[in-house]
Every structure is written in structure tokens, then in C-alpha cells.
Amino acid sequence: MNKRWEYSGFGIPDDFFVRGKAPMTKEEVRAVVLSKLRLKEDHIFVDVGAGTGSVSIEAALKLSRGKVYAIEYKEEALSLLEVNAKAFGVENLEVLKGRAEEELKKIKGFDRIFVGGSGGEIHWILDYALEHLSKEGRIVITAVTLETLTEGFKALKKKEYKDVEVVSVGVSKGRSTGNYTLMEAQNNIYVLSATKN
Amino acid sequence: MNKRWEYSGFGIPDDFFVRGKAPMTKEEVRAVVLSKLRLKEDHIFVDVGAGTGSVSIEAALKLSRGKVYAIEYKEEALSLLEVNAKAFGVENLEVLKGRAEEELKKIKGFDRIFVGGSGGEIHWILDYALEHLSKEGRIVITAVTLETLTEGFKALKKKEYKDVEVVSVGVSKGRSTGNYTLMEAQNNIYVLSATKN
Amino acid sequence: MNKRWEYSGFGIPDDFFVRGKAPMTKEEVRAVVLSKLRLKEDHIFVDVGAGTGSVSIEAALKLSRGKVYAIEYKEEALSLLEVNAKAFGVENLEVLKGRAEEELKKIKGFDRIFVGGSGGEIHWILDYALEHLSKEGRIVITAVTLETLTEGFKALKKKEYKDVEVVSVGVSKGRSTGNYTLMEAQNNIYVLSATKN
Amino acid sequence: MNKRWEYSGFGIPDDFFVRGKAPMTKEEVRAVVLSKLRLKEDHIFVDVGAGTGSVSIEAALKLSRGKVYAIEYKEEALSLLEVNAKAFGVENLEVLKGRAEEELKKIKGFDRIFVGGSGGEIHWILDYALEHLSKEGRIVITAVTLETLTEGFKALKKKEYKDVEVVSVGVSKGRSTGNYTLMEAQNNIYVLSATKN
């Protein structure tokens, strides 16, 4: 339970985070998302729909001279996010409590943005991101529904973006049941990414 | 082509590496492998069957006070490995040219080991790793065949290991063909990992 | 090579068909497609973009009192289709040589339609199918691109259809290499299906 | 609910079966299993661990001159199996209530056998099947655990078998949630098959 206090490296196991019932980007997909973000140490990074904060925290640990804004409006997720941020001792993570439409406007500009949980406002968020992302900035979107996949992909194919990529990541994890190891499937995640021109 | 000279962050696109025909652990699986390794900055890390060096190099960039040993015996892979190491300017990566059985013995001890390409010697390597890995050290194995999966999993279930885990990672990547985006499947990779007691 | 002459059952291995370079719906996906078609013995079934004819032939063998129309315009596929139809001795399969737009009009009505290869004309085909499919008729579409998935799914969600379903099928097949069994991935196929109201 | 009474074709939707909590081989995997079985109309087919009977019933409908033995020992599954068999009106299906070790001995010989649920007795079942399967008979095994995969594959690689095949089938199915379609993953199934020499 307190394992996370000992953390001092790269790559964080899922059980180092306190989760409750809030959705969490699991380790394998989180690793892919963080790789696609192509973070540099001094970046300003925005995590829209931060949930338990697993992506925000792992990013904050990398951004030694940068900053993470974690936007979340659900009460339960917010309290977990704060517990987790405290547990990992990250001081360059600011939690913005509220809807993306309101909270994004409080940030002056950003180099990287991750849209993992968009609650139906994805069109607005993607339009806003396109406008306020720095040149050569990166956007990463995860989708679990066909509609978010389609909308996200359409948004990234606009001419302001380059290096548009869509990958589908399917993870199964072995779970011991007696002498057997059942390979349990997680839902497939589509990871979309692009660089702003 | 020279994009890699500009690299200064976390997460490396596949086309930053010169590849030739040597096998390469591709970005998404590389991200999962690196996460499972749980590297810390001062670690000694051994990459057995380093191929083009993508895992070795991404690890070396993280190990600011540590060192990477990249073992490889195939001539073509070796020359690519050196080109890539030079391109990224990593100075804490030592290439060991030869078979794992010989080269592993030249390393005094190690904290992390990745067995991505084992050329049939996997039993010997896993036995040796078990003996020479530091306490709380981590081993990660990737398997693309059922036999390596079975042998690797059996080796990790010995009582000297804890936190034994097997995940299967299936990645498809969109490729543009005219106005269409074909989702091209990569072979499923089994990623095995464990911590030494 | 002549194995197919001995065929007299349900479920056909891929190597019973002569293939050349024409695309073929492989056994596992073919089995899923045929299941989703819910064929009855007296059905009129149309296979649009029949390729080597694997779906057409397996359907024809089931439709003891029905008929299959296999539409294809590519020369190479057409000759394979005829070789295969002859080899299996199916007499209730008519090959229509030409574009779907022309050939579909030659068929009076149909109970089942499979759109596996649409060459860009998918909108027209789906509109035509919707109009000419019999009541309680079934349509099945396979998609390997995100665009066909999106367009096909949108077409099926019109109010004239019920039981709209989308499944993604990912198959890997073991291939022996020495003492090892490499699990080779086939591209993921989206299988869309619906019943006409 | 009573849809299954109207059934008169090929390919059966999952909701045509009454399920309860007993495991069921779902439509897509069932279609692959039935294809791999390569049933002929006069076959004797044994379904070991028949569960709700979905494979047994779909096979029985094909075996117009053959017979299906469905072995099952769990009380709840048995009652569902009988409800389902009655609903589809299959008369060539005999339910054998008890453990495979006992029940298999009551069958004189068989042309096809499917081992979908083996409850730990898989070694014995595979040895028995090898001995009592008719020449050119087929065995199909489904595995959801690494151990059953390994054991099943090892059993099929004995010299008495040919055409040994292992495929992995991963299915995700769209589920509507408001205006979104969530692609829900089912656990990956390994389908092993072989022909007796």
C-alpha cells in the first residue's frame, strides 16, 4: 500500500496508485501514451480528464523543470488525484478542479496535451488545443469508443497537424487462478497522436 | 533521417533509429518493456540480444549515473547498434560483441536485465540471470513464440522471484493508403517480468 | 492441392482454395462472417467483391435450395473464383463479372448480402442494399480500414436496420520455425452486421 | 426470449441460448471451433464440458445423420443444456451427466471431439481421445489459460496427429452507451486443432 513512497525511478506499477472506482490509464497504455507525448524536461503539459492522476504523476516526475496541469471535475477522482500526487511527492503538478472548457482557459499555453477522458466535450477541447498548443507541440488522445476514435482522428487530420498516427493497443494480463494463469483482456485502446505544425 | 540528433526527451519514435534488416523492439512494446524494467538512474542494465539498440539507447538516456551493457553477436546488428549509439550521443552504453554465454561473464553484476533476443540459449541465460541479478533486481523477457513464452514463464515462477507477471501486447498501426487508413497488425508480444527476492 | 475434391462437410481450410495473389477472407473470419449472415437453405445471397470465392463457395454449399451471386471485376480474381467453384462442384453459384453498380441491378432481390471488398463504391452499395434487401434480410460488411468501419457503421445505424452489431476479430496463427511456434498476426477485421426491418 | 424457436438456419446468435451463469463459447469463437471441427453429416461428435450446450446444439443441427454426445457434470449447466436442446428441437443430442473420465467410456467411438471445458482432467481426456478417435478424426481444444494452451499443444504434437494448428482469436464487441459505442474485449481464446493419423 505504501510502496509508492519508495518510488524513485521510471515506470510505475498500477498498484502504486490509490484508485477507488475512478478510471485509470493502466501501466501498459500509460507507457505508450507517455512515449507518444515525447516529453522534454521543461515542458508545460496538460492532462484533460486526469482521473486518478496516473499519467499526470508519471509525467510530473519526468518534467524536472516543467509543469503539469491536471484537469478533472469528478469529486471522487479529485480526492484520489490529490492523495496520489502527495504520495509521490510531486510539486510541479497543479490540479484544476472543473470542466475542461473553463479550466483550459486558465493556462497560458502548453507544449503537450493528453485527452484521456473527455466527457462529450471533445470537439471543443480539440479545437482549443489546436489553437493554444505551442509550435511543434504534441497532442495525444486515447479512445475506447468508435465515435471518439472517429472524431479524434478527423480532428488530427486537419492541416495544422503533421505526424498524425493512430495505433490500437490490446493488452491481456495473466491472473493466477490456482495452478492456472488466465489471460484477462483489457479493452482495446486507440492512441491517437500528432505534432502541431 | 537526422531527426535523432535533435532528440532530447522521453519516448523515441522508431524512425529515429537506423534499422536495416535487424529486428527492433518497436516503440509501443519498447515503452512497455522500459516501464516493466522500473529503471533507476544509477542502475547497471544488461540488454541481451540488443539488435539495433533501441531498448539499450532509450535506457541509457535514462541512466544518468548508471550503465548499459548491450550484448549482440550478429555483425549487421552490431554495426547498426554503433551507428545508433553514436547518433544519440550516449556514452554510458558499452557494446559487448559475442554470444551471451561469453559476454555476460564479463559483467560483475547487474540490477536489470532484458532478454529480447535469445537465439535458443534462453535456459542458460535465465539461469545465469537468476544467479547474478542483484537483490530486488528486475528481469524482463519478451517472447513471440509459444515455446519462449512457456520456458520464460516457467523460469520466472521459481521461488527466487516475486511479482511474476505476464502480459500480452497487441499493437496495430494505421497506414495511409490513399484516403484510407489500414490498421496493420504487428505480431503479439508476450512481456514477462519479475523481481528477484 | 486436390484436397478440395474430397470436401464434403462444414468448415473449409484455407488451403483448399486456389488463391494466387487475390485477397481471401481467411478461415476464421470467414466462419464469423458466415455465422453473422444467418443463412437459410433457400436464400438468395450476394457476395460483393467475391475475390477467390471462399465466402461464396462455403455459402453455396449450405444453400441447398438457394443461390449465390458472386460479383467481382478483377480479372485475376475471376479466374481463381471459377477454378475454385469448379473444384468444389457448386452449381448454385453464378459469377457476375463487372462492377457492383452494374451487376447488382441484374439481381431481382436478395435475402443476404456480404460486402467484403468494395473498392470505394461502398456508399452506393450500402444504399442499394438497403433498398433491395428483403424484409428481415441480413447485411454483413467487413472492414480493414478505419474509414470503411466508420462509413459502414453509419450506414447500418439508419432506422431501416435493427440488430446492428460491430465486432472486431483479431486472429494470430502459429507458424513453425524449427522448434519454435511463432504466433503471426493477421490484420484485425471489423465485422459489421444488421437485419433489415 | 423465444427467438430460438424460429431458428432454421446456419449461425446462431448468443441470445438464442438460455445462459444463466454457466460459461458459454460465444458466437464468434463457436463459429471458429465449428469450422475447425470440419463436421460431416454422419459424424459422431463428443463435446466435453458442454456448458450451456451452444457448441453441441449448433453441431447437432448440422449432423443430420450423425449424433452429438454432450458431457457435463455441473448441475446448473446441465439444466440449461436441456432447456436449450429442447428449445432448438434437436433429437440427435444425448446429454451424458457426469465426469468425462466416466462418461467418455460409454461412447463406442467418435469422429470429432471438442474439449472446451476440462476441469483439470485434460491430460487424461487428451490421452483417451487420441486412442478412441477414428482415423482422420479431428480434435479441437479451446484454452483460456497459458497452462491449458501449453498442455494441449504438447498433446497434439505427438506423432499420431497431423495438421496441428494453434490460432489465437481475440474478439471485441461494440456495446452502445448513449451515443457512444464502447468496444468491449472478450478474453483471447486459443483454438488448438489436429487430425488423427
Side-chain angles (χ1 to χ4, degrees):
Chain A
M1 263 326 235
N2 275 325
K3 287 186 197 170
R4 62 198 181 279
W5 294 99
E6 310 153 21
Y7 177 82
S8 66
F10 304 92
I12 311 177
D14 286 344
D15 61 4
F16 277 36
F17 298 99
V18 179
R19 287 201 247 185
K21 286 173 189 167
M24 186 170 89
T25 304
K26 297 211 181 62
E27 183 189 344
E28 295 79 12
V29 172
R30 194 166 68 237
V32 173
V33 164
L34 286 163
S35 187
K36 298 296 177 195
L37 280 170
R38 318 239 181 273
L39 296 172
K40 296 186 188 182
E41 294 186 347
D42 60 351
H43 276 159
I44 305 300
F45 166 57
V46 183
D47 185 0
V48 181
T52 54
S54 67
V55 170
S56 284
I57 289 166
E58 193 156 352
L61 291 164
K62 292 178 196 286
L63 303 183
S64 52
R65 295 175 291 129
K67 183 161 184 184
V68 176
Y69 293 97
I71 302 177
E72 180 59 59
Y73 74 94
K74 289 185 192 139
E75 279 303 329
E76 197 201 340
L78 275 166
S79 59
L80 292 173
L81 212 168
E82 278 166 3
V83 167
N84 284 318
K86 200 169 290 178
F88 279 93
V90 289
E91 290 173 359
N92 55 343
L93 188 158
E94 185 174 336
V95 178
L96 299 176
K97 309 180 183 185
R99 289 280 179 175
E101 285 110 317
E102 300 301 320
E103 303 306 319
L104 271 170
K105 290 174 190 162
K106 298 178 182 167
I107 309 166
K108 279 178 199 157
F110 41 88
D111 306 297
R112 300 292 186 259
I113 185 165
F114 170 54
V115 185
S118 63
E121 311 150 13
I122 193 163
H123 279 114
W124 187 91
I125 294 168
L126 295 180
D127 284 350
Y128 188 92
L130 180 55
E131 212 173 320
H132 293 79
L133 197 55
S134 64
K135 193 169 147 56
E136 299 295 317
R138 299 267 301 160
I139 179 166
V140 176
I141 304 166
T142 50
V144 292
T145 67
L146 293 181
E147 291 74 15
T148 305
L149 166 63
T150 303
E151 290 165 31
F153 196 40
K154 208 167 67 181
L156 295 189
K157 282 191 290 190
K158 289 180 183 165
K159 66 175 189 287
E160 292 86 351
Y161 284 114
K162 61 184 176 186
D163 300 334
V164 177
E165 191 194 74
V166 52
V167 296
S168 151
V169 182
V171 174
S172 295
K173 188 169 285 194
R175 184 168 64 80
S176 287
T177 59
N179 292 319
Y180 291 86
T181 309
L182 178 67
M183 294 303 289
E184 288 189 318
Q186 297 169 11
N187 288 343
N188 236 48
I189 314 278
Y190 293 93
V191 181
L192 306 162
S193 57
T195 304
K196 190 172 169 185
N197 267 320
Chain B
M1 267 321 238
N2 275 325
K3 287 183 196 171
R4 63 197 179 280
W5 294 100
E6 311 155 18
Y7 177 82
S8 65
F10 303 92
I12 312 178
D14 287 343
D15 61 3
F16 277 35
F17 298 99
V18 179
R19 284 201 249 183
K21 286 172 189 166
M24 188 169 89
T25 304
K26 297 208 181 65
E27 183 188 344
E28 293 80 11
V29 172
R30 194 166 65 240
V32 173
V33 164
L34 286 163
S35 186
K36 298 295 179 194
L37 280 170
R38 320 242 181 270
L39 296 171
K40 297 185 188 182
E41 294 186 347
D42 60 351
H43 275 158
I44 305 299
F45 166 56
V46 183
D47 185 0
V48 181
T52 54
S54 67
V55 170
S56 284
I57 289 165
E58 193 155 352
L61 291 163
K62 292 178 195 285
L63 302 184
S64 52
R65 294 175 291 127
K67 183 161 182 182
V68 176
Y69 292 97
I71 301 178
E72 181 59 59
Y73 74 94
K74 289 186 191 141
E75 280 302 328
E76 197 200 340
L78 275 167
S79 59
L80 292 173
L81 211 167
E82 279 167 2
V83 167
N84 284 318
K86 201 168 288 175
F88 280 95
V90 287
E91 289 172 0
N92 55 344
L93 186 158
E94 186 175 334
V95 178
L96 297 177
K97 310 180 183 182
R99 289 280 178 174
E101 286 110 316
E102 300 300 322
E103 302 308 318
L104 271 170
K105 291 174 189 163
K106 297 177 182 167
I107 308 165
K108 278 179 201 156
F110 41 88
D111 306 296
R112 300 292 188 259
I113 184 165
F114 170 53
V115 186
S118 63
E121 311 149 13
I122 193 164
H123 279 113
W124 186 90
I125 294 167
L126 296 180
D127 283 349
Y128 188 92
L130 179 55
E131 213 172 319
H132 292 80
L133 198 54
S134 63
K135 194 171 148 53
E136 298 294 316
R138 298 267 301 161
I139 180 167
V140 176
I141 303 167
T142 51
V144 291
T145 68
L146 294 182
E147 291 75 14
T148 306
L149 166 63
T150 303
E151 290 167 29
F153 195 39
K154 209 167 66 181
L156 295 189
K157 282 191 290 191
K158 290 181 182 164
K159 67 174 187 289
E160 291 86 351
Y161 285 113
K162 60 183 176 187
D163 298 335
V164 178
E165 189 196 76
V166 51
V167 295
S168 152
V169 182
V171 174
S172 295
K173 187 170 285 193
R175 184 168 64 80
S176 288
T177 60
N179 293 319
Y180 291 87
T181 308
L182 177 66
M183 293 304 287
E184 288 189 318
Q186 297 169 11
N187 288 344
N188 236 48
I189 312 278
Y190 293 93
V191 182
L192 306 163
S193 57
T195 304
K196 192 174 168 183
N197 267 319
Chain C
M1 263 324 235
N2 275 325
K3 287 185 198 169
R4 62 197 180 279
W5 294 99
E6 310 154 21
Y7 177 82
S8 66
F10 303 93
I12 311 177
D14 287 343
D15 61 4
F16 277 35
F17 298 99
V18 179
R19 286 201 247 184
K21 287 174 189 166
M24 189 169 89
T25 304
K26 296 210 180 66
E27 184 189 345
E28 294 79 12
V29 173
R30 194 166 67 238
V32 173
V33 164
L34 286 163
S35 186
K36 298 295 178 195
L37 280 170
R38 319 242 181 270
L39 296 171
K40 296 186 188 181
E41 294 187 346
D42 60 351
H43 275 158
I44 305 299
F45 165 56
V46 183
D47 185 1
V48 180
T52 54
S54 66
V55 170
S56 284
I57 289 166
E58 194 156 351
L61 292 163
K62 293 179 195 284
L63 302 183
S64 52
R65 293 175 292 127
K67 183 162 183 183
V68 176
Y69 292 96
I71 301 178
E72 180 59 59
Y73 73 94
K74 289 186 192 138
E75 280 303 327
E76 197 200 340
L78 275 167
S79 59
L80 292 173
L81 211 167
E82 279 166 3
V83 166
N84 284 318
K86 199 169 289 176
F88 279 94
V90 287
E91 290 172 359
N92 55 342
L93 186 158
E94 186 175 335
V95 178
L96 298 176
K97 309 180 183 184
R99 289 282 180 173
E101 286 110 317
E102 300 300 321
E103 304 307 318
L104 272 170
K105 292 174 189 163
K106 298 177 182 168
I107 309 165
K108 280 180 199 156
F110 42 89
D111 306 296
R112 299 293 186 258
I113 185 165
F114 170 53
V115 185
S118 64
E121 312 149 11
I122 194 165
H123 278 113
W124 187 90
I125 294 167
L126 296 180
D127 283 349
Y128 188 92
L130 180 54
E131 212 172 320
H132 292 80
L133 197 54
S134 63
K135 192 169 148 55
E136 298 294 317
R138 297 268 301 160
I139 180 167
V140 177
I141 304 167
T142 50
V144 291
T145 68
L146 294 182
E147 291 76 13
T148 305
L149 166 63
T150 303
E151 290 166 29
F153 196 39
K154 209 166 66 180
L156 296 189
K157 282 191 290 190
K158 290 181 182 164
K159 67 174 188 286
E160 291 86 350
Y161 285 114
K162 61 184 175 187
D163 298 335
V164 178
E165 189 195 75
V166 52
V167 295
S168 151
V169 182
V171 174
S172 295
K173 187 169 285 194
R175 183 168 64 81
S176 287
T177 61
N179 293 317
Y180 292 86
T181 307
L182 177 67
M183 294 303 288
E184 289 189 318
Q186 297 169 10
N187 288 343
N188 236 48
I189 312 278
Y190 294 93
V191 182
L192 306 162
S193 57
T195 304
K196 191 175 168 181
N197 267 321
Chain D
M1 265 321 233
N2 276 325
K3 287 185 196 170
R4 62 197 180 281
W5 295 100
E6 311 155 21
Y7 177 83
S8 66
F10 304 92
I12 310 177
D14 286 344
D15 61 4
F16 276 35
F17 299 99
V18 178
R19 287 201 247 184
K21 286 173 189 169
M24 187 170 89
T25 304
K26 298 210 180 64
E27 183 188 345
E28 294 80 10
V29 172
R30 194 166 67 236
V32 173
V33 164
L34 286 163
S35 187
K36 298 295 177 194
L37 280 170
R38 318 239 181 275
L39 296 171
K40 296 186 187 182
E41 294 185 347
D42 60 352
H43 275 159
I44 305 299
F45 165 56
V46 183
D47 184 0
V48 181
T52 53
S54 67
V55 170
S56 285
I57 289 165
E58 193 155 352
L61 291 164
K62 292 178 195 288
L63 302 184
S64 52
R65 294 175 292 128
K67 181 159 186 184
V68 176
Y69 292 96
I71 301 177
E72 180 58 59
Y73 73 94
K74 289 186 194 141
E75 280 302 328
E76 197 199 339
L78 275 166
S79 60
L80 292 173
L81 213 167
E82 278 166 3
V83 167
N84 284 318
K86 199 169 288 177
F88 279 94
V90 288
E91 290 172 0
N92 55 343
L93 186 157
E94 186 174 335
V95 178
L96 299 177
K97 310 179 184 183
R99 289 280 179 175
E101 285 110 319
E102 300 301 320
E103 302 307 317
L104 271 170
K105 291 175 189 163
K106 298 178 182 167
I107 309 166
K108 279 180 199 155
F110 42 88
D111 305 297
R112 300 293 187 260
I113 184 164
F114 170 54
V115 185
S118 63
E121 312 149 12
I122 194 165
H123 278 114
W124 186 91
I125 294 167
L126 296 181
D127 283 349
Y128 188 93
L130 179 55
E131 212 173 319
H132 293 79
L133 198 54
S134 64
K135 193 169 147 52
E136 299 294 317
R138 298 269 301 161
I139 180 166
V140 176
I141 304 166
T142 50
V144 292
T145 68
L146 294 182
E147 291 74 14
T148 305
L149 166 63
T150 304
E151 289 165 31
F153 196 39
K154 208 166 67 179
L156 296 189
K157 282 192 291 191
K158 289 182 183 164
K159 66 175 190 287
E160 292 86 351
Y161 285 114
K162 60 184 176 186
D163 299 335
V164 178
E165 191 195 74
V166 51
V167 296
S168 151
V169 183
V171 174
S172 295
K173 188 169 284 193
R175 183 168 64 81
S176 288
T177 58
N179 292 319
Y180 291 86
T181 308
L182 177 67
M183 293 303 288
E184 288 189 318
Q186 297 169 11
N187 288 344
N188 236 50
I189 313 278
Y190 293 93
V191 182
L192 306 162
S193 57
T195 305
K196 190 173 169 185
N197 267 320

